[in-house]
Structure formats: structure tokens, C-alpha cells
């Protein structure tokens, strides 16, 4: 059983790396996006093998959703419509290759050369809970404060970026109903 | 596998994990439910059109599509197209792995509710890929329509799934089912139940959420699908509806709880009844335009289901 698990674990790791590499090899925006999605799904399953089931499943959920939306944006914003045609996924090849190789060698050397400590104690019964407490525990208050600030920043950013204001929607006296929207809403506002 | 998936000692299992070979039985049950949904839909269509013998429609359609020659398009992305077309059936099968049949389950994941949620998001990718792969305008329009619907229904669906999980204090599907001894969650969290059912109809690309495969865009996502590809895609839509109904049973309808009959029989009975209601109801609701549904989802459904979650959380906290 444990050998099957080992093979599956390493197989998923290889699949994640190969799917990640495929992002730069394929010649279509859709294929690149979903190759990345496959890579993330493989990583999500790997995380489940580490018994971080919640983190693993959430990774799969978020990444598939994100890639589904990203594919739309990639196709939409890749000017002159090349996203609908075969196109290369790489540019600045030499620089990129040099940076990538240097980073890889650096990180891999780090993994091999660091004197990793031996395990002390044993894993907690619920590793997800342990991870959460380790990450957030003493900083919970900070996190709780940061979240609404981040949401407020996003909302404020969208409001500032939108070229239409409430005066465009509701008229100068703010009394026009329903609002004058280029995109009609579904609830009759 | 079970000792791997159940973080040791984290939860006490409510259900027994059966060996992997039983997955074949699970697939057979899912197939039967799919056939039931298709036959019922055929019968209802035939009655609406005043034609006889609609029950046999799935068999006739299967025979017709299996003999139909596969059509293709210029420079279709066959890989993505096939992945998309077959994907709906696969997602439906992955969904039912965490649904306990009475006291047995194939995959007793401690975060089964999240698993279901992650798989239903896969449907986004699968439907869009089917629309994209054909390299044809109308299917692509259909794919975009589905994603637009998805942005409207997915968050309400997620928060609808949160309510039973809060009440049960667990993301394990067996534990959620076991927490409904006194009162079914469908009874005291009706908003979450209804929003969940709406989500099921939505991720099966049917009823009010059928504009992605609408006749006004020449069949939309399935416009260029033919032969066995179309068969698999259509079967996948019914299978997703069936899987959604099956998952509702442990989440909202008390799982295998019920008098006289054994647990597995109650699960099947409740699934069949709910599936029949869904097949019937989705024909009665008009199509929701993706652009208009967006506001309905975010301004009506999402606040409603968040209030539901709050109520459930307060009650759960009050109980201790």
C-alpha cells in the first residue's frame, strides 16, 4: 500500500512539473491556461497526500476557478486577436532561460546543501489545525484587521477606477429611477 | 487509503469505507439515476408536445447518436474539446464518491463538502473547454454564457453548503448526515436548501441555466458536438443533476434516516424523489439571462444565504 502511495506521490509531482512546463511549450492561450490548471490540481492532490486535506481541496477549488476566469481574460485582452490563433507562449527567451536556470540551481542547491534538522516530536493529530495555528495563532488580531482593510481597498480601487459615478447613473439630483446603466441589471435597480 | 485520508484521530467516522471495487456499483447507481432523469425528462417533453412514448427517448437518442457520424470543424482543438465533452460525466462521478449510501461510502474524506464544491467548480472549466474546443463562434458564446452564470450562482452555492457544515460542526459528509437526527437541515435552513438546488440545476447547465446550450445560439456549447461526443455531453448533464440530488440527501435530507427501510434504501429513495422534482421543476422556470442573473445572484441570493448562514451559526453557537 505504501509503495502505491509513494508511486502516486512522485507521479503527481512529475505531472505537476511537466504540466507546468507545458504552459510554455503549447501554442494556444487556452491550452497554456489549462496546463497551468492541471499543474495546480496535481499540487493540490499532493498537498492532500501530506494530510492537509482542507488546504489541498481549497487549492484545487481556487485554482480551477481562477484558471477558468483567467482563460477568458487572456483571450480577451491579448490584443489583435492572436489569442484565438496559435501563438508562442514565450518571449525574451535567453534572459528568461538564464533567470529560470539560475533560480532553479540556487533553490535546488539550497535543498541539497542545507543541514535539515531531525524531526522532533510527532505530527499533530489534526495537521491542518496545527498549520493554521502556527501561521495565524498569535497574529489573529492582525489578520482580522487586515481583511476588512483589504476588502475596503479593493472596493475603493474599483470605485476610483470606474469612469461612471452615481451622478451618471441617477442623474444630477440623484433621483432618476431606474438608474441609467449601459449594462441592465437583473433586479430593476 | 482511509487511514491516509482521515487525519488520524481528527474525526470519528460515521460511515464505513468500502473497498475501491465498489466504485463500480456507485457508477452503476449513478448511471441508473442518469437514465431515470433522462427518461423522465423525455416523458415530460413528450407530454408537453402531445406526442406518445417519451419514456424511451434516452434509448432512442443513444441509438441515434451512436450511429451518427462524428462531425468536426476546421482547426478544432480536439484535445481540449474531448476533455470538455467527457468531463461532465467524470465530474458527476467524482461528486458521488463522497456521498454515503446509508452506512457505506467509497471516499470518507474529512473535508467532503469542500471536495464536492471543488468538483462543481471543475464544471466551469469543462463547459468552457467544450465551447472553446470546437473553434466555432456559437459554442464559444455558449461557454462565455456559462461562465457568466457561474459568477452569479457559484458564491451563493458555496455559502449554501456552508450552512449544513456549520450546523454539523464538520465538513465530513457522513457527519453532516448524522447531525440531522432530530430535524432535517432542509426544514430549518430552507434558504440554503433552495439556493443549493438552484446551484445544482445551474451546474448541470439545464432549465433556467440552459442559455449556454440555448437554441438562440445554435445549441451553444454543444452546437458542434455530434455522435458519441454529444451523447456523452448530454448524459453528463443529467448525471450532474443526479449527483447534485444525491449529495443533497446527506446534506439537507437526513441521509439514510427513515423508518422501516434500511439506510441505503432511504438514500436512494430520497435521491430519486428529489431528482424527479428537479427534472420537473427546471422545465417550469424560464431561462435566466446571464447578464441579468449576475445581479440576482449577488444582490439577492448571496445576501439571503449569508443571513441564513448567520442564523444557523447563531443557533449552532447557542446550542454549544
Amino acid at each position: 500500500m505504501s509503495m502505491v502511495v509513494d508511486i502516486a506521490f512522485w507521479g503527481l509531482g512529475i505531472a505537476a512539473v511537466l504540466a507546468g512546463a507545458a504552459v510554455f511549450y503549447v501554442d494556444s492561450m487556452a491550452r497554456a491556461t489549462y496546463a497551468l490548471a492541471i499543474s495546480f490540481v496535481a499540487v493540490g492532490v499532493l498537498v492532500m497526500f501530506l494530510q492537509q486535506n482542507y488546504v489541498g481541496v481549497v487549492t484545487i477549488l481556487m485554482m480551477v476557478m481562477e484558471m477558468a476566469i483567467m482563460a477568458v481574460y487572456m483571450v480577451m485582452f491579448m490584443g489583435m486577436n492572436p489569442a484565438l490563433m496559435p501563438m508562442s507562449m514565450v518571449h525574451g527567451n535567453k534572459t528568461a532561460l538564464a533567470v529560470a536556470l539560475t533560480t532553479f540551481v540556487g533553490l535546488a542547491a539550497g535543498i541539497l546543501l542545507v543541514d535539515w534538522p531531525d524531526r522532533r516530536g510527532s505530527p499533530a493529530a489534526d495537521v491542518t489545525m496545527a498549520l493554521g495555528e502556527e501561521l495565524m495563532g498569535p497574529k489573529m488580531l492582525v489578520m482580522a484587521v487586515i481583511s476588512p482593510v483589504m476588502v475596503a481597498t479593493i472596493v475603493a480601487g474599483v470605485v476610483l477606477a470606474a469612469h461612471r459615478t452615481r451622478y451618471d447613473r441617477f442623474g444630477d439630483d440623484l433621483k432618476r429611477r431606474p438608474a441609467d446603466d449601459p449594462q441592465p441589471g437583473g433586479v430593476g435597480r | 487509503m482511509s487511514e491516509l485520508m482521515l487525519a488520524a484521530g481528527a474525526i470519528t467516522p460515521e460511515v464505513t469505507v468500502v473497498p475501491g471495487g465498489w466504485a463500480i456499483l456507485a457508477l452503476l447507481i449513478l448511471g441508473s439515476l442518469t437514465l431515470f432523469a433522462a427518461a423522465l425528462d423525455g416523458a415530460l417533453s413528450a407530454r408537453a408536445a402531445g406526442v406518445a412514448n417519451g419514456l424511451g427517448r434516452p434509448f432512442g437518442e443513444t441509438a441515434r447518436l451512436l450511429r451518427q457520424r462524428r462531425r468536426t470543424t476546421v482547426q478544432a482543438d480536439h484535445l481540449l474539446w474531448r476533455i470538455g465533452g467527457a468531463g461532465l460525466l467524470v465530474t458527476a462521478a467524482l461528486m458521488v464518491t463522497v456521498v454515503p449510501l446509508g452506512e457505506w461510502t467509497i471516499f470518507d474524506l474529512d473535508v467532503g463538502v469542500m471536495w464536492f464544491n471543488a468538483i462543481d467548480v471543475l464544471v466551469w472549466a469543462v463547459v468552457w473547454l467544450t465551447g472553446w474546443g470546437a473553434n466555432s463562434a456559437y459554442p464559444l458564446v455558449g461557454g462565455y454564457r456559462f461562465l457568466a452564470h457561474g459568477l452569479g450562482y457559484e458564491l451563493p452555492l458555496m455559502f449554501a453548503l456552508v450552512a449544513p457544515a456549520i450546523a454539523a460542526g464538520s465538513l465530513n459528509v457522513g457527519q453532516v448526515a448524522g447531525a440531522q437526527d432530530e430535524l432535517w437541515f432542509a426544514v430549518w435552513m430552507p434558504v440554503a436548501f433552495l439556493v443549493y438546488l438552484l446551484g445544482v440545476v445551474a451546474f448541470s447547465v439545464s432549465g433556467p441555466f440552459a442559455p449556454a446550450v440555448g437554441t438562440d445560439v445554435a445549441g451553444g456549447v454543444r452546437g458542434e458536438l455530434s455522435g458519441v461526443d454529444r451523447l456523452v455531453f448530454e448524459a453528463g448533464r443529467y448525471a450532474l443533476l443526479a449527483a447534485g440530488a444525491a449529495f443533497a440527501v446527506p446534506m439537507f435530507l437526513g441521509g439514510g434516516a427513515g423508518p422501516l427501510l434500511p439506510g441505503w434504501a432511504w438514500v436512494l429513495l430520497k435521491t430519486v424523489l428529489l431528482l424527479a422534482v428537479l427534472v420537473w421543476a427546471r422545465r417550469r422556470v424560464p431561462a435566466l439571462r446571464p447578464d441579468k442573473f449576475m445581479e440576482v445572484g449577488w444582490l439577492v441570493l448571496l445576501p439571503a444565504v449569508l443571513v441564513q448562514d448567520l442564523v444557523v451559526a447563531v443557533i449552532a453557537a447557542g446550542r454549544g
Side-chain angles (χ1 to χ4, degrees), chain B residues 33 43 73 248 250-251 254 285:
Chain B
L33 289 170
T73 49
M251 289 300 279
V285 188

Side-chain angles (χ1 to χ4, degrees), chain B residues 166-189:
Chain B
I166 298 176
S170 169
L171 286 168
N172 176 267
V173 184
Q175 299 231 322
V176 174
Q180 301 171 64
D181 287 340
E182 296 154 16
L183 194 59
W184 290 0
F185 287 162
V187 178
W188 68 278
M189 39 186 92

Side-chain angles (χ1 to χ4, degrees), chain B:
Chain B
M1 207 65 183
S2 60
E3 71 272 21
L4 176 78
M5 290 308 170
L6 279 175
I11 57 169
T12 30
E14 282 273 341
V15 284
T16 315
V17 180
V18 294
W22 288 95
I24 295 168
L25 179 67
L27 285 180
L28 283 177
I29 294 174
L30 180 65
S32 311
L33 289 170
T34 305
L35 191 59
F36 166 74
L40 181 63
D41 203 25
L44 291 173
S45 297
R47 198 180 66 174
V51 204
N53 197 20
L55 270 180
R57 202 184 68 164
F59 299 102
E61 275 290 285
T62 305
R64 183 180 75 82
L65 289 173
L66 281 179
R67 291 180 68 243
Q68 191 180 57
R69 188 167 189 170
R70 218 180 212 174
R71 189 170 62 214
T72 192
T73 49
V74 179
Q75 291 200 318
D77 191 333
H78 285 282
L79 178 67
L80 296 187
W81 202 14
R82 300 281 182 261
I83 290 175
L88 291 184
L89 267 183
V90 176
T91 49
L94 288 174
M95 277 179 187
V96 294
T97 53
V98 292
V99 178
L101 182 68
E103 55 188 297
W104 305 291
T105 189
I106 302 170
F107 187 29
D108 191 27
L109 188 63
D110 56 353
V111 290
V113 178
M114 293 297 303
W115 170 267
F116 178 86
N117 204 178
I119 304 298
D120 91 55
V121 169
L122 269 179
V123 176
W124 287 32
V126 165
V127 173
W128 188 81
L129 284 174
T130 316
W132 168 270
N135 192 28
S136 174
Y138 286 130
L140 190 57
V141 171
Y144 283 130
R145 281 186 176 186
F146 185 75
L147 284 185
H149 265 148
L151 290 174
Y153 80 73
E154 190 63 47
L155 277 176
L157 172 61
M158 280 182 182
F159 284 101
L161 289 173
V162 164
I166 298 176
S170 169
L171 286 168
N172 176 267
V173 184
Q175 299 231 322
V176 174
Q180 301 171 64
D181 287 340
E182 296 154 16
L183 194 59
W184 290 0
F185 287 162
V187 178
W188 68 278
M189 39 186 92
V191 178
F193 184 49
L194 286 178
V195 170
Y196 170 77
L197 293 184
L198 194 74
V200 171
V201 172
F203 68 60
S204 62
V205 207
S206 59
F209 296 91
V213 291
T215 44
D216 58 331
V217 280
V221 168
R222 62 181 171 185
E224 302 285 357
L225 289 174
S226 54
V228 69
D229 298 328
R230 192 182 185 102
L231 175 68
V232 170
F233 183 82
E234 293 296 326
R237 289 172 66 211
Y238 286 113
L240 278 172
L241 199 66
F247 190 70
V249 173
M251 289 300 279
F252 291 100
L253 300 176
L260 298 176
L261 296 175
W264 60 267
W266 273 114
V267 171
L268 287 181
L269 189 64
K270 288 172 186 173
T271 306
V272 167
L273 286 177
L274 184 62
L275 183 56
V277 170
L278 285 177
V279 171
W280 172 80
R282 60 178 202 155
R283 305 176 60 84
R284 319 295 297 179
V285 188
L288 295 166
R289 275 177 49 172
D291 54 341
K292 295 206 163 187
F293 178 71
M294 189 80 79
E295 271 198 2
V296 177
W298 283 83
L299 295 178
V300 181
L301 297 181
L302 190 56
V305 80
L306 280 175
V307 170
Q308 172 83 89
D309 286 348
L310 179 65
V311 171
V312 170
V314 168
I315 293 175
R319 281 172 166 180

